[in-house]
Amino acid sequence: TFRPEVEPDPLRDRLAAVVEESTLSLLDPARIEAMAQDLGVVKLRRVHHVGLLVCSLVLSALERQTDTSGRWLDAQQVYRQLGGPPAGKTSFRNRTRQSVPVMREMLNRRMHELVEQTDDFELRGRLQAFSNVLIPDGCAFKLASVLSGYFPGTGNPAELKLHAVYCVKTGMVSVSQSAGRVHDNDGFAPKEWETGALYIWDLGYNDTDRFVDAALAGAIPLQRLKRDANPVVLAWYDKQGRRHAVAYDDGKPMRLDDASQLPVLARGAFDLDVELRDSTGRRVVARVVCVPYDGEDRYYLTMPPRDIFTPFDVAELYRLRWEVELFFRNWHGALRMDDVHRLRHPDSVQAHVFASLVAAALARDIHAGLDRISAWSDAAAAALAPPNC
């Protein structure tokens, strides 16, 4: 009897199972081919198998080798390795561009599944005070100058901007596209707000109408306050949570610029009630908290309850925006969105983007599976540990 070259390893086997399950659930060539037929992308089977082609596009987005020859050449090589029939570069490229509706549908279905599973995900710690945490942001990618007519940019002749809303619960984003010239603020226009969800946006999204709309809909917005913002201050709160009205001696309302100079508020962090009115006259009472950081006072406009979140807690909540920054960094690097500048056709750009987004969904599923393995490994180690003496 021969001994196996590799000893059995339950953890390795579980890891392999997670990768296999996640990959096959999203990248099933036969199912993708059927989807392409349903969408009218495939009418007659010609040279390429669309299911294998889409799989090759997505897998090539996850390749990070020093000898890569460009996104589509790498994808064509993967296509051949998966068993796709030989074909020229031009026919492969053309079929790649035609596969965009298929990848869009794959992404929509996966996002819909995650939305349906939202109740299965849990926020931890004090984030349990929210139904969800959603972070909008935008990210621009340089394009070949020849595409300036399709995607006019700002710092570059041609740019593609992706407007994303990152969901902390699911670890995924919903995405829309625009030319780089479109401001982040214009790329975020929710049709409805999720009640009880914390929305965190940066200075580029400052918009009183949006803040009031979100607050009145039951959402909880959190944003940095611009230096030129000067809302009416209604009251300040001491460390015991007692409320103290704020007004001039003659009873007229005092604005933030003057209120922040009051001696009682000049000793570091403070917490205020302020009044906001939008362009239609709708009114909400919100919180402005000030937290000193690195020699400057940082102001945050928000709604979370004081009995749970202090001013310093609010500042820590804002740091959750780093999650979407990490997601964009992953797009630029691990998912090869940094290669987009090589493309010179708008349909190639679309195929590139959607392949990377499907790859992001696959990476998210594998990561979630690895988290489950980690929890299993910790539980197994605890069970095998000797009892305390």
Side-chain angles (χ1 to χ4, degrees), residues 4-19:
E5 294 184 7
V6 180
E7 293 294 332
D9 185 338
L11 185 59
R12 184 184 61 236
D13 293 342
R14 280 177 173 265
L15 172 61
V18 164
V19 174

Side-chain angles (χ1 to χ4, degrees), residues 103-119:
M103 291 185 287
R104 181 188 289 115
E105 180 63 19
M106 290 172 62
L107 190 63
N108 287 340
R109 291 185 184 185
R110 187 67 190 110
M111 291 298 297
H112 182 70
E113 291 171 359
L114 287 175
V115 169
E116 290 184 337
Q117 297 170 7
T118 298
D119 290 340

Side-chain angles (χ1 to χ4, degrees), residues 236-309:
W236 67 276
Y237 288 78
D238 60 28
K239 293 182 179 180
Q240 288 70 42
R242 293 187 294 261
R243 186 179 190 274
H244 305 269
V246 173
Y248 288 109
D249 292 339
D250 60 3
K252 291 184 178 179
M254 184 181 296
R255 291 191 175 272
L256 179 60
D257 285 351
D258 290 339
S260 61
Q261 302 304 313
L262 293 173
V264 73
L265 301 180
R267 296 191 296 270
F270 57 75
D271 192 348
L272 309 173
D273 273 345
V274 300
E275 179 185 73
L276 294 181
R277 291 185 182 273
D278 69 4
S279 59
T280 64
R282 295 183 303 172
R283 174 184 179 274
V284 297
V285 175
R287 291 178 69 185
V288 164
V289 302
C290 174
V291 178
Y293 178 79
D294 199 21
E296 69 168 312
D297 290 337
R298 293 193 174 180
Y299 290 81
Y300 301 90
L301 177 66
T302 189
M303 301 291 290
R306 290 183 175 85
D307 58 345
I308 301 177
F309 298 98

Side-chain angles (χ1 to χ4, degrees), residues 208-385:
T208 301
D209 282 16
R210 178 187 291 122
F211 189 99
V212 172
D213 192 54
L216 292 178
I220 305 170
L222 168 59
Q223 64 177 63
R224 287 278 300 279
L225 194 64
K226 282 190 173 181
R227 291 183 179 274
D228 59 356
N230 198 22
V232 171
V233 176
L234 303 176
W236 67 276
Y237 288 78
D238 60 28
K239 293 182 179 180
Q240 288 70 42
R242 293 187 294 261
R243 186 179 190 274
H244 305 269
V246 173
Y248 288 109
D249 292 339
D250 60 3
K252 291 184 178 179
M254 184 181 296
R255 291 191 175 272
L256 179 60
D257 285 351
D258 290 339
S260 61
Q261 302 304 313
L262 293 173
V264 73
L265 301 180
R267 296 191 296 270
F270 57 75
D271 192 348
L272 309 173
D273 273 345
V274 300
E275 179 185 73
L276 294 181
R277 291 185 182 273
D278 69 4
S279 59
T280 64
R282 295 183 303 172
R283 174 184 179 274
V284 297
V285 175
R287 291 178 69 185
V288 164
V289 302
C290 174
V291 178
Y293 178 79
D294 199 21
E296 69 168 312
D297 290 337
R298 293 193 174 180
Y299 290 81
Y300 301 90
L301 177 66
T302 189
M303 301 291 290
R306 290 183 175 85
D307 58 345
I308 301 177
F309 298 98
T310 69
F312 292 98
D313 293 332
V314 170
E316 285 297 313
L317 284 175
Y318 188 79
R319 290 165 60 104
L320 285 171
R321 286 200 66 260
W322 183 242
E323 295 286 337
V324 77
E325 299 293 343
L326 291 176
F327 200 92
F328 283 143
R329 180 179 295 181
N330 190 43
W331 275 357
H332 272 286
L335 298 179
R336 300 187 69 176
M337 283 294 290
D338 53 349
D339 290 344
V340 74
H341 64 275
R342 304 183 184 189
L343 305 178
R344 298 176 177 273
H345 192 286
D347 291 342
S348 294
V349 173
Q350 297 294 323
H352 181 100
V353 168
F354 278 102
S356 289
L357 293 178
V358 175
L362 174 58
R364 181 259 168 219
D365 290 347
I366 293 175
H367 188 274
L370 296 181
D371 282 345
R372 292 193 296 270
I373 285 183
S374 178
W376 171 84
S377 180
D378 291 344
L384 294 174

